[in-house]
Amino acid sequence: MSTPRNFTLGIEEEYLLVDRESRDLIREAPKTVLAQCESLLGSSVTTEFLQSQIEVGTRVCSSIGEARDHLGYLRRTVADCAADEGLALTAVSTHPFAQWVEQKQTEKDRYQGLARDMQGVSRRMVICGMHVHVCVVDPDLRLDLMNQAAYFVPHLLALSTSSPFWTGLDTGLASYRVAVFDNMPRTGLPNAFASWSEYQRHVDVLVNVGAMADSSMIWWDIRPSARFPTMEMRICDVCTRIDDAIAIAALFQALIHMLYRLRRNNQRWRDYAEMLVAENRWRAQRYGLDGGLIDLGRGELLPYPGLLEEMIELVMPDAEELGSTDEVLSTRDILERGTSAHRQRQVYARAVADGAGHDEALRAVVDALIEESVAGL
């Protein structure tokens, strides 16, 4: 096993599998799909909580370009395996019209335990996310950078939103996935800790009383990974376009490097009260890119494009060092074309304007998601 290196990265994505004819989520996954995926991808693919979900994870990547190549290969392979069974992959955080009460859980001990402990809350978890890992070898440094990086969680969510619809309704939110996930315990913004030992003491309390099996059951927006020496960013929706996923991953990696650079110069990002960061988190969840976020240093509500430009300026030296300048700059493309949430609503509105009924318009949204999920692979 190779020695971990700071700022290597990996990306995990969860996908929803739909029946190509009905465009609805499948209830039961054909065993042949996972078997074929595993034969081609090995441990890079696995089941998820529901049978309609499948998860992939890249290898440890030394550059954002390597991460894009591997993630693209994983997406394409899963999509091809699904197509062989008359199914389609959708890289999206909620299905436009599937009913959560009809979904079937994957038969796995961990998932059965979650269902038993969480009851009705877990049964609504027809949601998918994107997780980005950035290696920070020293655990105390990892915690310190995590404390500071929490400020940027809303900014990253706003770029990724892909879950405006839920059970056939437009929720009015850009990321309804976050609303569903927040019903679980140990979610949301992380607590701040002064050291790794302090964090571990808190984890031990919950483990020792039987509240959770281990720290992998802490599902904060950003957390220390339970399996790897990484900081794991978990706030984002799944990006339907792979280019958007890579842009956000590159920005997150560069932000962590920027905070590390500040620390080397005996500087740090200012700490802000959780209620203020949480307000921005809500604004990103509700409005995505459209409602602006609060610049907490200035105490002003500002349009998102200006805030993105400030982030890009902050991290440009880091992106240059990491070799991710083009990918970080491509976050501007997300502003120009909108997120998946924007495009889903646009597809729905066009279909209705062309005479489609509500159900037909939602199926048109699924068709667009299927096409876009594999575009550019």
Side-chain angles (χ1 to χ4, degrees):
M1 183 179 293
S2 60
T3 302
R5 289 192 299 113
N6 282 341
F7 309 112
T8 53
L9 76 159
I11 304 172
E12 298 169 342
E13 288 187 325
E14 298 159 350
Y15 308 128
L16 292 170
L17 298 177
V18 302
D19 179 86
R20 197 63 185 85
E21 185 174 343
S22 70
R23 281 77 152 190
D24 200 353
L25 285 184
I26 62 171
R27 273 48 160 188
E28 296 184 31
K31 289 182 172 56
T32 50
V33 172
L34 184 63
Q36 187 178 0
C37 287
E38 288 178 334
S39 70
L40 296 170
L41 303 176
S43 60
S44 292
V45 65
T46 186
T47 56
E48 246 301 324
F49 183 70
L50 297 174
Q51 293 195 43
S52 55
Q53 297 171 304
I54 194 165
E55 179 179 354
V56 300
T58 69
R59 59 178 170 263
V60 178
C61 298
S62 60
S63 69
I64 195 67
E66 181 185 354
R68 196 211 187 279
D69 289 344
H70 195 209
L71 186 63
Y73 172 67
L74 296 176
R75 262 203 205 196
R76 169 55 69 185
T77 302
V78 173
D80 289 346
C81 293
D84 289 343
E85 296 290 337
L87 310 179
L89 173 153
T90 53
V92 66
S93 280
T94 58
H95 186 276
F97 62 84
Q99 300 298 312
W100 60 266
V101 294
E102 298 175 352
Q103 303 310 304
K104 291 190 175 182
Q105 178 193 319
T106 301
E107 294 181 4
K108 201 172 185 179
D109 288 345
R110 176 180 173 85
Y111 301 143
Q112 290 172 342
L114 279 174
R116 181 182 62 250
D117 292 344
M118 306 303 171
Q119 293 294 309
V121 170
S122 69
R123 291 193 287 273
R124 297 178 68 245
M125 295 287 287
V126 193
I127 56 174
C128 294
M130 175 180 75
H131 308 155
V132 181
H133 292 258
V134 173
C135 182
V136 180
V137 175
D138 180 76
D140 286 313
L141 176 61
R142 197 181 315 146
L143 259 294
D144 183 44
L145 297 184
M146 184 191 79
N147 293 341
Q148 299 174 66
Y151 178 91
F152 297 101
V153 157
H155 302 69
L156 297 167
L157 172 61
L159 284 168
S160 72
T161 55
S162 70
S163 50
F165 292 102
W166 179 255
T167 63
L169 301 174
D170 188 329
T171 65
L173 276 64
S175 175
Y176 193 70
R177 163 189 155 268
V178 172
V180 175
F181 199 64
D182 280 352
N183 284 285
M184 297 281 282
R186 303 179 292 278
T187 56
L189 293 167
N191 290 90
F193 297 95
S195 66
W196 181 263
S197 60
E198 182 189 9
Y199 166 71
Q200 195 59 56
R201 285 197 303 272
H202 285 71
V203 169
D204 290 344
V205 170
L206 298 182
V207 171
N208 291 339
V209 301
M212 63 183 190
D214 54 46
S215 62
S216 70
M217 299 180 76
I218 295 173
W219 297 296
W220 293 329
D221 299 336
I222 184 171
R223 70 176 184 182
S225 171
R227 294 185 295 158
F228 310 113
T230 62
M231 193 183 318
E232 181 184 3
M233 186 270 291
R234 302 172 49 84
I235 185 61
C236 286
D237 279 6
V238 180
C239 295
T240 308
R241 293 181 60 98
I242 193 171
D243 289 342
D244 294 355
I246 296 302
I248 293 168
L251 178 59
F252 175 63
Q253 181 194 34
L255 284 167
I256 300 305
H257 193 280
M258 179 271 293
L259 295 172
Y260 173 72
R261 173 169 53 87
L262 289 181
R263 179 176 162 124
R264 283 186 312 185
N265 295 328
N266 294 316
Q267 298 173 298
R268 63 180 288 111
W269 199 257
R270 180 179 169 185
D271 294 327
Y272 292 94
E274 183 179 333
M275 67 177 287
L276 298 179
V277 180
E279 189 66 24
N280 269 345
R281 183 181 186 269
W282 160 248
R283 295 191 65 82
Q285 175 187 350
R286 167 65 176 86
Y287 302 107
L289 302 173
D290 300 333
L293 298 176
I294 305 167
D295 184 315
L296 298 181
R298 301 176 191 172
E300 298 176 9
L301 181 64
L302 299 176
Y304 190 90
L307 296 174
L308 178 61
E309 288 303 315
E310 288 184 1
M311 282 194 293
I312 290 173
E313 183 178 354
L314 274 172
V315 306
M316 224 358 78
D318 309 278
E320 290 172 0
E321 185 171 339
L322 294 165
S324 60
T325 301
D326 289 344
E327 289 81 4
V328 168
L329 290 175
S330 70
T331 53
R332 293 170 175 166
D333 297 337
I334 302 176
L335 293 185
E336 291 180 10
R337 62 175 172 253
T339 66
S340 177
H342 289 104
R343 293 190 296 279
Q344 289 178 55
R345 287 182 168 131
Q346 290 163 1
V347 169
Y348 178 87
R350 282 198 302 268
V352 170
D354 291 340
H358 175 68
D359 291 349
E360 186 180 356
L362 289 174
R363 288 193 292 272
V365 174
V366 176
D367 286 340
L369 289 169
I370 292 170
E371 180 178 352
E372 195 170 87
S373 294
V374 296
L377 300 184

